[in-house]
Amino acid sequence: MNYTPEALKSRLVLPAGTLRLVIAYSGGLDSTTLLASLAGLAGRDPLPELLAVHVDHGLHPDSASWAAQCARQAGDLGVDIDTYTVSVEQHAGLSREAAAREARYELFHEVIGPGDVLLTAHHLDDQAETFLLMALRGSGPAGLAAMPARAGFGQGHLCRPLLDFDRAALEAWAREQGLEWLEDPSNADQSLDRNFLRHRVLPLLAEQWPQAARTLARAARHSGAAAELLHEAAAHDLERNPLHGECLPAELLLPLGPERQRNLVREWLRVNGLRMPSSEQLERIFREIVLAAPDARPRLALDGRELRRFRGVLYLVDELPVPEPVCWQQDTLVPAPGLGRLRRLDSDRGLPPGPVEVRYRQGGERLTPEGRSGHHELKKLLQEAGVLPWWRDRIPLLYRDDELLAVGDIWLSEEHLEAGGWRPAWDERPRLLADEYRL
């Protein structure tokens, strides 16, 4: 398929209310073709405001000069450009290229506002490469869908209007127009998976099947349609969840078949902002969490959070360390991040004035709750109240002279209450009880 700016325009389906087109501009062939085409179209037809954004990852010694060249090129085309420098931090399991992509898209999320559409120059060959990469990783339909032509993105949208055109067609047009572009030497490094596919595998496939790239891109579209059906089925199943979004009752899963169970768990994790689990992680979720013994307290680290189960319900929990003790003398205190705020309220009957120490459960604590008689183990009080196990060691305990005065604002010690005084109020506290997660 030949490439022309008019053909691009026919595929540039913009959401209603689009105010600005933000072009991800690396300076390479693809993004240069996209930028020049849009600049030419804008000179003839009304288009939203154009802005090029170049990201300098600092991974090549010439990256600063590349940024300067991109600025000149955009200026020559009459398009405003913003250049950003990002720090690329590699994490376990991420290649340098993947880490750079994460840093780049984090920046784009900050740049894209309401009414903005981020345009990237991914083309047909990129789509075929992505499909093959996902297939070689054993991905399901969502992964095999590769790159959607349109999607929501941050406060705006993301469009890939070049997915119907192969690189050869883009290059033919760019040369015809006399465009200049940058060549990143890392694109020739065949030790990188995508480059190996680009330079070795896809050309070999094209010898036998000349339309291989287009066929693989079509397979990606079919996978996208299948993934959408799976998403709709999981969303329907998830609508029956009577609990807060961070909870999932096991009883919601058990009547479903195995594949539908896994589809529902994937969707539940997705809507809570977690990455799609691998097949191995998904099997561990079922083996170690869903199917664990009823009296077990299983936990599994998952994408920076913890997956837990309590009384037949799965919970997504932030990983929070047990805070350090602290002295509380003022009117208010933030005991630790994620634990809300403590305030002192005047009372007709309350705790005696003076500073207290905020500590956390070590085991063996006892007190006589207000309005009751006899000493009670704190462990049993927490169990009776249905406090979630992972919060039991994070509830602030108020002490004076090694005597337990109060457990947050849940229980006050009857033995230490007197006329006047004060009572603690625990504002913005986390949901401590299983019942608090019901919608």
Side-chain angles (χ1 to χ4, degrees):
M1 179 185 296
N2 292 332
Y3 173 78
T4 64
E6 289 70 27
L8 163 68
K9 186 179 179 183
S10 70
R11 289 160 175 79
L12 192 61
V13 181
L14 299 176
T18 297
L19 301 176
R20 186 172 68 164
L21 303 182
V22 180
I23 301 99
Y25 182 42
S26 69
L29 165 67
D30 314 329
S31 62
T32 298
T33 299
L34 178 60
L35 184 65
S37 299
L38 290 170
L41 288 170
R44 304 191 301 270
D45 302 310
L47 278 180
E49 174 191 352
L50 298 182
L51 173 68
V53 171
H54 176 80
V55 181
D56 180 358
H57 303 91
L59 297 178
H60 191 277
D62 294 333
S63 65
S65 64
W66 293 348
Q69 183 172 333
C70 286
R72 289 193 297 271
Q73 182 89 329
D76 291 343
L77 293 169
V79 178
D80 291 337
I81 183 170
D82 290 339
T83 298
Y84 297 88
T85 301
V86 297
S87 176
V88 177
E89 298 180 5
Q90 282 186 250
H91 307 290
L94 277 187
S95 66
R96 186 179 71 165
E97 290 69 27
R101 181 184 182 280
E102 278 203 355
R104 183 166 66 250
Y105 274 84
E106 283 180 10
L107 171 70
F108 288 148
H109 272 283
E110 296 176 6
V111 169
I112 298 301
D116 287 345
V117 176
L118 175 65
L119 301 179
T120 66
H122 296 104
H123 50 67
L124 183 77
D125 298 312
D126 293 325
Q127 186 77 312
E129 293 163 10
T130 302
F131 178 86
L132 285 175
L133 282 172
M134 294 297 103
L136 291 168
R137 292 170 186 169
S139 297
L144 295 176
M147 298 178 290
R150 285 170 290 279
F153 187 85
Q155 299 182 71
H157 293 82
L158 166 67
C159 288
R160 298 181 175 96
L162 299 182
L163 287 181
D164 287 340
F165 306 98
D166 61 25
R167 190 182 192 281
L170 300 179
E171 183 173 354
W173 183 83
R175 292 194 182 282
E176 181 182 298
Q177 303 301 310
L179 298 179
E180 297 181 356
W181 58 86
L182 296 167
E183 292 286 356
D184 186 341
S186 68
N187 290 335
D189 182 1
Q190 295 187 27
S191 68
L192 303 177
D193 293 345
R194 185 176 289 275
N195 290 343
F196 181 80
L197 290 175
R198 179 178 303 163
H199 296 293
R200 300 278 295 277
V201 175
L202 280 170
L204 187 61
L205 290 175
E207 290 181 14
Q208 182 71 16
W209 299 282
Q211 296 297 312
R214 193 165 298 277
T215 301
L216 292 171
R218 187 166 66 248
R221 288 197 297 273
H222 294 326
S223 297
E228 183 60 26
L229 289 175
L230 290 171
H231 165 69
E232 290 177 4
H236 172 75
D237 288 338
L238 203 53
E239 284 178 356
R240 298 185 294 114
N241 186 2
L243 303 180
H244 187 271
E246 295 178 344
C247 306
L248 185 67
E251 64 184 22
L252 204 64
L253 296 167
L254 298 180
L256 306 177
E259 292 306 319
R260 196 165 167 183
Q261 289 178 347
R262 284 152 179 77
N263 188 44
L264 175 53
V265 168
R266 280 192 292 262
E267 177 68 7
W268 176 60
L269 296 175
R270 186 193 70 79
V271 299
N272 280 287
L274 275 73
R275 300 180 190 180
M276 192 67 68
S278 66
S279 298
E280 180 183 355
Q281 286 175 317
L282 198 58
E283 292 311 310
R284 286 191 65 190
I285 289 171
F286 276 85
R287 184 175 66 251
E288 299 178 20
I289 307 293
V290 178
L291 300 176
D295 59 347
R297 299 283 174 79
R299 58 194 290 185
L300 178 66
L302 195 65
D303 197 17
R305 303 187 75 183
E306 286 186 336
L307 183 59
R308 303 224 191 188
R309 198 190 73 186
F310 179 62
R311 296 181 179 174
V313 176
L314 279 62
Y315 293 83
L316 283 171
V317 181
D318 291 326
E319 294 180 340
L320 293 173
V322 177
E324 294 294 325
V326 62
C327 182
W328 180 17
Q329 302 184 72
Q330 307 300 322
D331 290 337
T332 63
L333 173 74
V334 177
L339 284 183
R341 179 182 60 157
L342 292 171
R343 289 187 298 125
R344 297 182 183 227
L345 299 179
D346 292 336
S347 175
D348 292 336
R349 187 169 186 262
L351 300 175
V356 295
E357 186 178 15
V358 179
R359 303 181 193 172
Y360 299 89
R361 194 164 72 100
Q362 301 293 316
E365 296 87 355
R366 302 171 68 88
L367 85 160
T368 301
E370 182 180 7
R372 298 172 67 173
S373 61
H375 286 81
H376 296 258
E377 291 184 25
L378 179 57
K379 175 181 178 181
K380 291 185 178 179
L381 289 173
L382 295 170
Q383 291 172 343
E384 292 169 5
V387 175
L388 296 167
W390 47 92
W391 283 117
R392 295 175 187 174
D393 292 341
R394 296 179 175 88
I395 296 177
L397 308 181
L398 309 186
Y399 278 88
R400 182 176 295 147
D401 298 329
D402 289 329
E403 293 188 350
L404 180 57
L405 306 183
V407 179
D409 60 0
I410 306 171
W411 297 292
L412 274 63
S413 170
E414 176 69 44
E415 296 174 319
H416 295 88
L417 296 179
E418 60 181 39
W422 61 278
R423 288 173 174 264
W426 191 4
D427 298 335
E428 302 171 15
R429 68 167 176 81
R431 286 186 293 269
L432 303 175
L433 311 178
D435 288 344
E436 293 178 324
Y437 281 83
R438 294 199 170 272
L439 295 177

